Amino acid sequence: MFLLALLGGGPSTALAESFLGQVAPLPGAVAEVTSPATGVMIPAREKPYTVGDRVKKGEPLLVIANRYDLHDASHISNIRWDFLQAMMEARYAALEARIAREKGERLKNLGAISGQQLAALRAAEQVAQAEYLRRKDLLEQQDEQIRGDTLERRGLVAPIDGQIALANFTQGQMVYEGFLLYRIVDLRQVAVAARVPEASFRPWPEGTPARIRFDDLPGREFTGRLLRTLPLVDPQSRVREVLFRVDNPEELLRFGMIGHVEVGEP
């Protein structure tokens, strides 16, 4: 039997291969809460949520109110002229596009331009008109904020279960539309992206198990299940990423940690 093994005639065993992997968020595991409009941030509870606090999906985080002081009202009024200028420029561009289209229709009837050229003029008019309407809508929204007659108080809630990783405001702060307020992460399950050289890649089926160890967590081993294989190969390093889903109930694994991923029989 020993001789057969030496000669390669014995039973073969697929050895485990080890690759470097990095902890990354699963889809939907990171959510950002932004301000829906300009206003003052009021915490939804006596002690505002801060980094490290845990929240449940649907739990109130903040209340936004449009109470402006003189400085804030002045700023909102001043930037209105930028919105107005952009709207007027878009309106003029839409008018020019309309004139070009009407002129093109006359030339088409005279046989001076083709139907394809006329179609291009009509498409350009539609694009210009859509841009004008968009700019007009932005100006109207700005005017509503200046008047303060559309937004009194609006609650902002946590979009997912998780832990607050970023708190980007202070109580009573005036923020503007689109301002990032909170970033929430869910670490109960994470992904580990293994970097597999193309020469070592195998078409492992979904659900293939992997053993994952981290130098920062000696003595601990995590089990991953293959989630998906990314289709692209890095043209320089000739590696591709294979994602494994890993349960992380103690939340020991954090995004960015580097570990060793073993796929196959030990």
Side-chain angles (χ1 to χ4, degrees):
M1 188 68 178
F2 176 70
L3 180 60
L4 287 175
L6 288 177
L7 296 176
S12 61
T13 302
L15 297 178
E17 295 185 85
S18 180
F19 313 104
L20 286 180
Q22 186 173 30
V23 179
L26 287 169
V30 178
E32 293 185 341
V33 180
T34 59
S35 174
T38 300
V40 175
M41 294 295 106
I42 304 172
R45 65 176 191 175
E46 183 177 356
K47 182 182 178 182
Y49 287 101
T50 187
V51 174
D53 288 343
R54 297 186 179 277
V55 294
K56 293 289 187 181
K57 181 178 180 180
E59 190 171 354
L61 299 174
L62 293 167
V63 175
I64 177 172
N66 61 339
R67 299 180 307 173
Y68 309 144
D69 60 26
L70 181 60
H71 174 270
D72 297 324
S74 175
H75 175 78
I76 295 173
S77 297
N78 286 336
I79 64 175
R80 178 187 187 274
W81 309 117
D82 296 332
F83 284 91
L84 177 60
Q85 180 179 356
M87 187 274 288
M88 294 299 293
E89 290 173 353
R91 181 179 179 182
Y92 181 73
L95 181 59
E96 283 191 321
R98 176 184 173 184
I99 293 172
R101 186 263 304 165
E102 291 180 352
K103 182 179 178 181
E105 288 177 344
R106 291 182 179 274
L107 293 175
K108 174 64 172 59
N109 292 333
L110 296 174
I113 64 172
S114 66
Q116 185 175 3
Q117 290 174 305
L118 178 59
L121 291 173
R122 287 172 173 167
E125 181 189 13
Q126 292 178 352
V127 171
Q129 181 67 14
E131 177 64 11
Y132 161 63
L133 293 176
R134 187 178 75 86
R135 295 289 182 177
K136 182 172 178 289
D137 183 61
L138 288 174
L139 178 63
E140 291 174 351
Q141 292 180 27
Q142 186 70 10
D143 287 340
E144 287 178 355
Q145 290 186 6
I146 292 173
R147 294 193 303 268
D149 58 0
T150 58
L151 175 65
E152 293 300 329
R153 282 177 175 263
R154 184 185 305 179
L156 302 179
V157 301
I160 61 173
D161 292 348
Q163 189 175 15
I164 293 178
L166 173 70
N168 194 32
F169 77 102
T170 58
Q171 183 174 356
Q173 178 183 347
M174 180 76 175
V175 299
Y176 300 98
E177 183 175 353
F179 184 84
L180 175 61
L181 300 169
Y182 284 119
R183 181 177 293 119
I184 303 172
V185 299
D186 184 0
L187 290 169
R188 293 172 301 178
Q189 280 191 334
V190 297
V192 172
R195 293 177 57 81
V196 180
E198 185 66 9
S200 302
F201 175 75
R202 303 289 181 271
W204 298 294
E206 183 178 341
T208 297
R211 292 168 303 284
I212 306 173
R213 301 180 182 89
F214 296 87
D215 294 338
D216 294 337
L217 299 171
R220 299 296 299 264
E221 180 177 286
F222 298 83
T223 299
R225 296 285 176 179
L226 194 144
L227 182 63
R228 65 174 178 270
T229 300
L230 301 187
L232 300 180
V233 178
D234 189 307
Q236 295 183 346
S237 61
R238 304 304 301 169
V239 301
R240 67 169 67 191
E241 286 193 347
V242 180
L243 297 183
F244 293 88
R245 184 190 299 270
V246 182
D247 288 332
N248 186 32
E250 299 177 70
E251 299 187 1
L252 298 175
L253 303 182
R254 300 284 167 153
F255 302 147
M257 291 177 64
I258 303 295
H260 305 277
V261 180
E262 291 184 2
V263 186
E265 296 295 332

